[in-house]
Amino acid sequence: MTESWNSTDAGVLRLPSGRLVRGRALRRPLPAGPTPTYAVHLLAKQPPEVPWEARWLRWPDFWLPGNHAHAQEILGEAWARAGVERVEIACGGGRGRTGTALACLAVLDGVPAEKAVDYVRRHYAPRAVETPWQRRYVRRFTG
């Protein structure tokens, strides 16, 4: 088993199951401490290479992923791997797309979809999930 994140580190969300997932802004320097073993990058353009395994989910700033089935697949894999690996979810600013994806992971973890945005805002960042359509996406997310 991989060394986990520290749940007291900034940007680390503890899901109800105990899984830890780090949310991060790619525009900021990599935080100190262990690096991810798996990351999901939520960007409109292909991100630069990183020295750990990463998947790119095409997701324009302030919008939604273009392919819902692909998003479900990637986020489902991130949730599953968070049980045994250091998983990171990251977008440019670390709030809108990252918060939306973290809220979807919360749904996969058993948080009712209508409460997932509040859960992420309370446990990750107060301004996570920035737009009405991102909130609606979470409410409709089933994984």
Side-chain angles (χ1 to χ4, degrees):
M1 183 167 169
T2 303
E3 174 193 351
S4 183
W5 300 115
N6 183 340
S7 63
T8 60
D9 289 343
V12 174
L13 172 69
R14 179 182 290 277
L15 294 167
S17 66
R19 286 174 166 86
L20 300 174
V21 181
R22 181 170 76 185
R24 180 165 83 88
L26 292 169
R27 285 185 282 225
R28 296 184 179 255
L30 188 66
T35 58
T37 54
Y38 179 73
V40 176
H41 294 153
L42 314 167
L43 298 168
K45 295 181 181 177
Q46 188 166 357
E49 293 291 319
V50 290
W52 49 84
E53 185 180 357
R55 293 198 59 192
W56 169 42
L57 179 57
R58 187 185 302 270
W59 192 328
D61 200 7
F62 297 107
W63 293 100
L64 300 173
N67 183 323
H68 180 65
H70 189 59
Q72 286 179 307
E73 172 197 332
I74 288 175
L75 295 176
E77 181 179 1
W79 176 83
R81 292 177 76 161
V84 294
E85 297 180 57
R86 288 187 309 275
V87 172
E88 175 179 86
I89 306 291
C91 68
R95 294 288 181 256
R97 293 167 285 181
T98 295
T100 303
L102 290 173
C104 291
L105 294 185
V107 170
L108 293 174
D109 205 61
V111 175
E114 65 277 1
K115 296 183 178 186
V117 171
D118 288 337
Y119 183 88
V120 169
R121 287 178 173 170
R122 197 168 46 255
H123 298 286
Y124 170 68
R127 296 187 310 174
V129 191
E130 296 173 313
T131 67
W133 41 92
Q134 289 173 339
R135 290 190 296 276
R136 186 172 49 247
Y137 185 81
V138 172
R139 283 193 311 271
R140 294 178 179 171
F141 189 82
T142 57

